[in-house]
Amino acid sequence: MGPDKNLLERWRTTEILLLGGSAGSFKLLFQIVKLLPASLNKVVIIVIHRKRNFFSEIEKLFAENSSIPLHEIEDKDVLKKNTIYIAPANYHTLIEKEGYFSLDVSEAVWYSKPSIDVTFESAAEIYDKRCMAVLLSGANQDGAEGMLKLRNSGAVTIAQHPDDAEMDEMPAAAINIGAATYILRTEEIFELLQIQ
Amino acid sequence: MNDTSVITAPQITELIDLVKRVHGFDFSGYTKASLKRRIIRIMQLKKLEFYDLKHILVNDQHFFQDFLEEITVNVTEMFRDPSFYKALNLQVIPYLSTYQHAKIWCAGCSTGEEVYSLAILLRDAGLGKKSFIYGTDINTEVLKEARKGIYSLRNIKNYAENYQFTGLKGSISDNFTILYDAASVHNELKQNTLFSVHNLVSDDVFNEFQLISCRNVFIYFETALQERILELFYKSLCPLGYLCLGSKETIRSDFFKKKFKVINQKENIYQKIGA
């Protein structure tokens, strides 16, 4: 059984894919980056919690395994389709309505910088229906509020099924506040995202 | 309450106009997404609706200082991005030592951590008495903290890890006098520093420098304003002077790309070329 018809249709018209993950999400994101098809033609933005100076290794690992160009976000980078962007450590990543990223070093949110909430919220203000967000495993509640804003703005929001998440607190928080349009098993997420 | 819809884009414009008219600070060139986050944060902290915020901004001068402090992000560290200090030590400090006297401008210095980090670096290179660091910010309150040079002990412990990565000798605490739960910068490091108000948006050249460091400040500005400030930095640098931007900030303007040579791509250290 493939993904829900509506979901499939929404995925096809999605322009921006947002992926948020924290503890227990590294392997999942690695797999997602690997399975995204080369002809995806969407902007992909990954916000993953991590310690500072840990990035270069993630970037290298991800870049070596993706068929789409992968880029660590620098201030005022313009969003381009068919590119995977990774939020840098120690900065929040915001999206401006003119279509570029701006960075911010203000206070951590949920002890996290980058914060998933910050990026999701700024995307919610700009991309509404054109946007899809997936929230994966994590041990805090970052991302839930941002997901809710995305959902309210018309975006499709997906939470990893808490039973499948190594750390279930993050997707569960999103589900609890009604931020998830879909709750999907890990395999279903993989299946959806590899469809062109 | 954490609802970004509590303030609209026209309301932000209204607020920018009001602040400009009443207080003379122009935030129109600031990036809107982060400016909006800051304004919402103030409204939450002070429990204000938009109307109240406007009212208090007009009528309470003291509140404006708080507003300024919240709008301008003052998150900073000592030896932030240690690889930057390593590169500076290797690629720039030897050049500074050829001068009789080196003047350094730390723009957007906030509470002074970067100024004292630079002071430590220069002292260790034997340039302590041959150099002078100007720390500037638009906010008088943070500058008071910078002049004091007293930081919480907990922060110093966090900075210790940065310090280890810079490759400098000894330990960061060698530069402080410990007072219960705080640490005070040694006077020796304060002697050749001066903290003063300067607004990058509206103020002009005030000296000539061999090195300008302005890290994690450009991220809050739209590209047109960044370019204007690059012009200010260009005019403030001596020929072959150095400009340091933050690790995620690059010179994007084609005009200024030709006027600066990249010294270190990763750390965004540039050198002024031409006169």
Side-chain angles (χ1 to χ4, degrees):
Chain A
M1 210 184 85
D4 172 296
K5 251 191 187 160
N6 284 329
L7 180 58
L8 192 57
E9 185 47 37
R10 289 300 300 273
W11 168 238
R12 288 207 162 107
T13 55
T14 288
E15 290 174 29
I16 310 259
L17 171 65
L18 300 164
L19 300 164
S22 186
S25 74
F26 178 81
K27 232 167 68 188
L28 293 165
L29 284 164
F30 179 75
Q31 283 169 283
I32 290 171
V33 161
K34 208 170 165 175
L35 60 78
L36 288 171
S39 53
L40 186 68
N41 207 31
K42 303 180 195 302
V43 177
V44 182
I45 302 168
I46 299 177
V47 184
I48 178 169
H49 293 164
R50 67 197 121 84
K51 289 216 162 82
R52 61 166 81 206
N53 307 329
F54 183 47
F55 179 77
S56 51
E57 284 136 75
I58 295 187
E59 181 193 42
K60 233 178 111 209
L61 241 121
F62 281 18
E64 281 168 4
N65 286 281
S66 76
S67 22
I68 305 170
L70 187 136
H71 181 73
E72 187 193 17
I73 298 164
E74 289 191 359
D75 183 52
K76 306 297 179 291
D77 275 339
V78 174
L79 281 76
K80 286 192 210 113
K81 284 195 171 178
N82 223 37
T83 309
I84 302 173
Y85 293 95
I86 301 198
N90 291 327
Y91 293 84
H92 294 308
T93 293
L94 297 157
I95 307 167
E96 302 289 336
K97 71 173 190 309
E98 293 83 0
Y100 58 81
F101 293 106
S102 61
L103 302 176
D104 178 322
V105 289
S106 64
E107 312 79 11
V109 176
W110 293 106
Y111 311 101
S112 307
K113 195 158 59 176
S115 144
I116 301 167
D117 271 340
V118 169
T119 303
F120 280 14
E121 281 171 13
S122 77
E125 298 211 11
I126 302 165
Y127 295 107
D128 50 65
K129 288 199 289 291
R130 291 171 291 163
C131 189
M132 182 182 278
V134 182
L135 192 62
L136 301 165
S137 168
N140 69 25
Q141 295 179 34
D142 189 25
E145 281 289 336
M147 278 258 284
L148 186 62
K149 295 216 171 72
L150 280 164
R151 185 177 189 182
N152 291 340
S153 76
V156 177
T157 55
I158 299 169
Q160 184 185 20
H161 197 301
D163 288 352
D164 282 9
E166 202 177 309
M167 301 284 174
D168 64 5
E169 193 181 341
M170 213 161 79
I175 294 163
N176 287 341
I177 61 166
T181 330
Y182 291 89
I183 301 161
L184 296 188
R185 293 285 177 177
T186 312
E187 286 308 318
E188 293 176 299
I189 296 172
F190 289 164
E191 197 178 342
L192 176 71
L193 300 185
Q194 57 194 320
I195 295 169
Q196 297 192 19
Chain B
M1 188 188 75
N2 187 22
D3 192 357
T4 44
S5 61
V6 294
I7 180 162
T8 63
Q11 284 177 324
I12 290 184
T13 310
E14 196 183 332
L15 211 62
I16 290 170
D17 289 345
L18 184 140
V19 167
K20 195 175 170 181
R21 228 172 38 241
V22 178
H23 299 282
F25 283 84
D26 183 4
F27 288 103
S28 60
Y30 278 56
T31 54
K32 297 303 172 289
S34 56
L35 192 60
K36 180 170 177 174
R37 277 194 76 224
R38 304 315 297 167
I39 293 169
I40 289 166
R41 184 179 156 84
I42 294 166
M43 289 165 70
Q44 288 172 349
L45 284 173
K46 307 276 177 184
K47 299 186 171 54
L48 297 169
E49 298 291 326
F50 183 68
Y51 176 82
D52 306 318
L53 177 65
K54 283 197 299 180
H55 181 79
I56 194 168
L57 266 174
V58 172
N59 295 301
D60 185 344
Q61 181 63 36
H62 184 74
F63 175 83
F64 181 70
Q65 284 305 322
D66 293 353
F67 177 83
L68 204 58
E69 198 163 338
E70 278 304 329
I71 284 284
T72 54
V73 173
N74 291 300
V75 174
T76 179
E77 303 172 14
M78 287 192 79
F79 295 101
R80 186 194 166 92
D81 302 321
S83 57
F84 162 73
Y85 287 92
K86 232 178 183 167
L88 207 60
N89 218 357
L90 209 68
Q91 295 179 280
V92 179
I93 299 290
Y95 160 83
L96 292 184
S97 66
T98 64
Y99 281 86
Q100 275 297 320
H101 219 84
K103 278 177 287 186
I104 293 142
W105 179 13
C106 185
C109 71
S110 187
T111 39
E113 283 87 336
E114 172 147 356
V115 168
Y116 294 122
S117 304
L118 290 168
I120 291 168
L121 202 71
L122 290 160
R123 183 207 55 204
D124 282 14
L127 302 179
K129 293 196 167 62
K130 279 180 68 180
S131 54
F132 200 93
I133 311 170
Y134 294 79
T136 65
D137 203 277
I138 60 170
N139 190 329
T140 51
E141 293 303 310
V142 292
L143 290 171
K144 280 184 198 160
E145 295 303 309
R147 280 183 206 109
K148 278 189 210 153
I150 297 173
Y151 303 108
S152 99
L153 208 52
R154 215 183 64 196
N155 286 347
I156 301 296
K157 281 178 184 156
N158 293 334
Y159 304 157
E161 194 190 349
N162 288 354
Y163 188 87
Q164 292 306 317
F165 279 110
T166 60
L168 289 170
K169 291 194 184 105
S171 112
I172 196 164
S173 55
D174 299 341
N175 300 288
F176 291 91
T177 304
I178 309 298
L179 328 142
Y180 299 101
D181 58 349
S184 171
V185 174
H186 282 168
N187 269 334
E188 165 210 18
L189 293 168
K190 284 185 181 174
Q191 269 164 12
N192 293 335
T193 63
L194 181 77
F195 292 97
S196 72
V197 174
H198 184 278
N199 186 344
L200 289 169
V201 177
S202 55
D203 295 341
D204 210 352
V205 174
F206 65 95
N207 212 323
E208 189 185 65
F209 299 96
Q210 279 68 46
L211 170 68
I212 297 174
S213 176
C214 182
R215 300 162 69 220
N216 292 326
V217 178
F218 269 22
I219 51 178
Y220 298 106
F221 303 149
E222 290 174 344
T223 44
L225 180 55
Q226 289 185 352
E227 194 152 346
R228 249 183 56 204
I229 298 170
L230 276 173
E231 172 78 35
L232 168 67
F233 288 161
Y234 187 81
K235 287 195 291 187
S236 302
L237 281 170
C238 71
L240 307 178
Y242 290 88
L243 172 66
C244 307
L245 299 178
S247 67
K248 303 289 172 259
E249 300 165 320
T250 49
I251 295 182
R252 290 183 180 272
S253 142
D254 288 331
F255 180 76
F256 283 106
K257 269 183 192 162
K258 289 181 204 143
K259 292 183 168 281
F260 285 100
K261 180 177 149 193
V262 180
I263 295 297
N264 187 315
Q265 180 104 52
K266 199 178 146 277
E267 305 299 338
N268 293 316
I269 302 174
Y270 301 87
Q271 186 173 29
K272 173 177 173 171
I273 46 178

